Amino acid sequence: GVAFLLQLERRLRPLHDTGDILALSAQMLGQRLGAQQVACFDIGQALHAPTLQHAWSDGLASGAAGEYFLGDYAASLADALAAGQAVAVSDVASDPRTALPAALAAFTRLGIRAFLNIPIAKDGRLAALFVVHSRAARLWRADEIELAIQVSERVWSTIVRAQAEEQLRLLSAGMERKIAERTREFGRTWQVSPDLHGVLNLDGYFEHSNPAWQATLGWSEEEIRTTKFFNLIHPDDLPRTYAAWDAASQGQPALRFENRYRHKLGGWHWLSWVAVPEGDKVYCSARDITVEKKLEAELAARNSERERLWRSAQDLMVAIDTDGCFTAVNPASAAILGWLPEEMLGRSLFD
């Protein structure tokens, strides 16, 4: 699951359109789980009547995705979903929450026998719902449910980030007289975004910052406003950050620039920045990639250990393609077969 989530993160990074973000995520999750359909809904005033944002299908699912709705049994799921708990139903015909005549008729018409409901709850309110459908009864494994939760959280964070960055780009087009006004226009997105946003002056102070700074790094808006940002940077990252700041001062934007910021309670968080200079201000957006960095380090460590075992193994280890030719051979081949690995590469198994 780690490699899949890293691949998803990499493919989501360049996307800014909500439809593109949902389309890619739904397709990758559906194919990974072997599902028949993955859909995303906005939850309005009523849980039983969500608004379809996007649906992916394997091409065999019956019925239109837009016809899916939670129906009369929504009340039995509402508390769990609003609390951010995933709902897994392995067989709609036997689960007491779904085995209602009207619901079963809808599930039969749509070819749904099992499903996952993955909620996104924000500020105590159910904001969005990801659903995964299977046409056959299946026992959802804990790792499958966790993967669906991780994907939905990343999708939501990416969408909120993209919306915030779009508003940040709009803000950068204005003059300083409009900064406070435009900041208010960020409204809910500016307030609830998990990413850090701010407006830097050329002295290196954030004149404006959103609440994500305190949620991520522990620093209040006033502390950020009165602290030169260089004082929060990891010492090892200062030379690169000075260089990027000099470039920004010359009008060059910074795209996906990474450095570490100090948390108020200690420790460091990796941030990935987009910074756009405009006049005497630099408009910034940063995503916390600390977990991603940790996952990458763990994956690199596993690959390094695999490579060490490959090279140190006393047993012969090889990889062969579909034509029966050697594509990889470990060093043990010399002692066992008398052939160096490079002498065997490309040769047929039947030579």
Side-chain angles (χ1 to χ4, degrees):
V2 172
F4 173 81
L5 291 174
L6 287 173
Q7 182 186 22
L8 176 64
E9 288 274 8
R10 285 193 294 269
R11 295 185 64 181
L12 285 177
R13 281 181 199 170
L15 301 183
H16 300 284
D17 180 74
T18 297
D20 292 341
I21 294 168
L22 290 173
L24 173 64
S25 304
Q27 179 183 0
M28 289 184 64
L29 178 62
Q31 292 174 343
R32 174 76 176 190
L33 295 181
Q36 280 66 63
Q37 194 174 76
V38 178
C40 177
F41 296 89
D42 260 350
I43 305 300
Q45 299 300 316
L47 177 60
H48 67 273
T51 301
L52 177 66
Q53 291 296 313
H54 182 81
W56 168 86
S57 171
D58 66 352
L60 301 177
S62 60
E67 296 179 56
Y68 175 78
F69 63 99
L70 292 181
D72 294 336
Y73 66 93
S76 64
L77 307 179
D79 290 343
L81 292 175
Q85 300 173 9
V87 174
V89 173
S90 298
D91 190 341
V92 297
S94 60
D95 194 302
R97 298 170 294 180
T98 55
L100 304 172
L104 287 177
F107 287 133
T108 300
R109 176 168 55 85
L110 297 173
I112 300 171
R113 189 64 185 273
F115 65 82
L116 286 176
N117 282 347
I118 309 297
I120 299 294
K122 298 299 178 185
D123 299 328
R125 184 186 70 84
L126 184 60
L129 186 68
F130 285 81
V131 296
V132 181
H133 295 160
S134 171
R135 68 171 59 92
R138 61 184 284 178
L139 181 62
W140 299 100
R141 302 194 312 268
D143 62 310
E144 293 177 328
I145 298 173
E146 179 60 25
L147 181 66
I149 292 173
Q150 291 288 332
V151 169
S152 65
E153 287 288 349
R154 280 166 170 76
V155 170
W156 182 262
S157 175
T158 302
I159 290 173
V160 171
R161 172 180 56 81
Q163 292 173 345
E165 287 179 350
E166 176 60 23
Q167 293 195 33
L168 194 61
R169 283 191 290 271
L170 293 175
L171 179 63
S172 69
M175 304 298 288
E176 183 175 3
R177 178 178 57 83
K178 297 181 179 180
I179 288 179
E181 198 175 295
R182 291 291 183 90
T183 300
R184 288 192 295 270
E185 290 176 5
F186 276 119
R188 185 170 179 81
T189 300
W190 175 271
Q191 293 296 321
V192 305
S193 173
D195 294 337
L196 286 67
H197 301 295
V199 181
L200 270 169
N201 61 32
L202 296 184
D203 293 324
Y205 292 91
F206 278 99
E207 295 181 354
H208 302 278
S209 60
N210 71 331
W213 283 85
Q214 188 157 16
T216 302
L217 298 174
W219 303 102
S220 69
E221 182 177 3
E222 178 63 17
E223 289 171 323
I224 292 296
R225 189 181 66 82
T226 57
T227 303
K228 199 164 189 176
F229 82 91
F230 288 114
N231 295 333
L232 300 175
I233 305 295
H234 192 288
D236 292 346
D237 299 336
L238 277 173
R240 294 187 301 105
T241 305
Y242 280 125
W245 177 248
D246 288 342
S249 300
Q250 299 300 316
Q252 298 180 28
L255 302 176
R256 298 186 181 89
F257 176 79
E258 297 178 0
N259 60 10
R260 284 164 288 183
Y261 266 63
R262 178 163 48 92
H263 193 284
K264 186 175 181 178
L265 299 181
W268 303 92
H269 281 240
W270 276 101
L271 301 178
S272 177
W273 291 91
V274 173
V276 179
E278 181 72 25
D280 59 353
K281 298 291 185 288
V282 180
Y283 300 90
C284 307
S285 174
R287 183 168 60 92
D288 187 349
I289 58 171
T290 306
V291 173
E292 183 179 330
K293 284 286 189 180
K294 180 180 178 182
L295 292 175
E296 289 177 348
E298 291 174 353
L299 185 61
R302 285 197 294 270
N303 289 338
S304 176
E305 177 64 12
R306 188 182 301 114
E307 178 68 15
R308 186 190 67 79
L309 292 174
W310 171 273
R311 293 189 173 278
S312 63
Q314 301 301 309
D315 297 327
L316 179 64
M317 301 171 68
V318 300
I320 301 172
D321 63 19
T322 56
D323 296 324
C325 295
F326 293 102
T327 59
V329 182
N330 75 330
S333 65
I336 297 174
L337 300 177
W339 293 80
L340 295 174
E342 54 268 27
E343 295 175 316
M344 296 180 63
L345 292 177
R347 297 179 66 90
S348 172
L349 178 65
F350 306 104
D351 286 349

